[in-house]
Amino acid sequence: MPETDSGVVIVDCGDSAVMARAMGSDAEHNWRLVHTLADAIDSVRLDGVHGIVPTYDALLVEFDCAGTDQHTVRRVLRHEADRLGKGPLHTATARHFVVPVVYGGEHGPDLPVVAEQLGITEQEVVELHSGSDLTVRCLGAPAGAPMMDGPAFPGPVPRLASPRTRVLPGSIAVAGRQAVICPMPSPGGWPLLGRTPLRVLDFAADPMTPYRPGDTFRFQPITPDQWDDHAGLSLAVSHG
């Protein structure tokens, strides 16, 4: 049976995971709540837990059945959710990243299609995509891809009818009302607007990605001739 209180519903997911979902009417509060709850569960260091995955309004806690059980995980989740519900939510200070992007052409082959779908020009797509800070809401697949709020397009962007079998690392994509950077080669069904020459993922670093949920990205158009000026550099916090 679902357990609910403090605006959070807690349910079992199979025999080795438990999900907590924020059910409030304020999407921003729900997002902050599940990410604050994820940090709280991580700090508990509960035996057997090996995965804590917060998204937009839900948190999945994965565990080894040999180390703990659903009842214990639910109890800890409920305790932390009730505790957080009694006060303001404290989240980490957002950091800012500036990402140079070559739009269109071989780097953004779907730019013309997206412009046609939205009923605006390619330049307007670029201006909207690069015209405001986009907040990272969660880390997705593959390898901690930054799932961001999408730009202020006049409508949602359809996914590709036929996904690509391989998308290059650094590809800048949109779908629905979301935006993402592909950090490593992978299949993908999101339309590609461009590509950044920066290295987003570093397997030798801990963590492998420099960003976290709550950080913001600003995309900066560059020309193909400027690609080599940024090629191979790592994505880093902007202090400008």
Side-chain angles (χ1 to χ4, degrees):
M1 292 291 291
E3 300 177 23
T4 179
D5 198 6
S6 305
V8 176
V9 172
I10 299 174
V11 296
D12 295 339
C13 291
D15 61 0
S16 58
V18 173
M19 182 181 70
R21 182 179 296 278
M23 302 298 289
S25 58
D26 185 336
E28 184 71 18
H29 176 80
N30 291 343
W31 172 75
R32 290 186 180 276
L33 177 56
V34 298
H35 284 267
T36 306
L37 182 56
D39 291 339
I41 296 300
D42 185 49
S43 67
V44 170
R45 302 298 180 189
L46 188 62
D47 288 343
V49 169
H50 59 75
I52 302 172
V53 187
T55 59
Y56 285 80
D57 61 0
L59 167 68
L60 186 70
V61 179
E62 302 170 306
F63 58 88
D64 184 345
C65 297
T68 188
D69 55 34
Q70 291 165 322
H71 173 75
T72 301
V73 176
R74 287 198 309 269
R75 176 175 55 79
V76 174
L77 274 169
R78 174 53 53 211
H79 172 78
E80 295 299 327
D82 291 346
R83 181 180 63 81
L84 292 172
K86 295 177 181 178
L89 300 175
H90 300 286
T91 54
T93 300
R95 297 154 323 157
H96 186 61
F97 297 83
V98 176
V99 183
V101 179
V102 176
Y103 286 94
E106 63 176 317
H107 297 301
D110 300 317
L111 178 59
V113 176
V114 170
E116 182 178 2
Q117 291 169 333
L118 295 175
I120 57 179
T121 66
E122 293 180 30
Q123 183 59 34
E124 287 173 323
V125 171
V126 172
E127 290 173 354
L128 289 172
H129 188 266
S130 62
S132 61
D133 295 346
L134 304 181
T135 299
V136 178
R137 293 299 180 177
C138 62
L139 305 186
M147 307 293 295
M148 291 170 268
D149 291 336
F153 289 152
V157 177
R159 292 173 182 251
L160 301 177
S162 299
R164 292 181 171 90
T165 58
R166 188 175 188 272
V167 174
L168 295 176
S171 292
I172 308 297
V174 290
R177 296 190 180 276
Q178 294 176 285
V180 73
I181 304 175
C182 181
M184 64 178 295
S186 64
W190 289 34
L192 305 181
L193 299 184
R195 188 174 173 226
T196 179
L198 295 183
R199 186 160 50 91
V200 177
L201 187 67
D202 184 353
F203 286 109
D206 185 18
M208 294 186 298
T209 56
Y211 48 81
R212 62 183 176 232
D215 291 341
T216 61
F217 281 71
R218 174 65 71 98
F219 295 105
Q220 181 181 70
I222 61 173
T223 66
D225 291 341
Q226 294 173 299
W227 178 276
D228 288 342
D229 296 339
H230 306 274
L233 298 178
S234 296
L235 178 67
V237 175
S238 173
H239 299 287

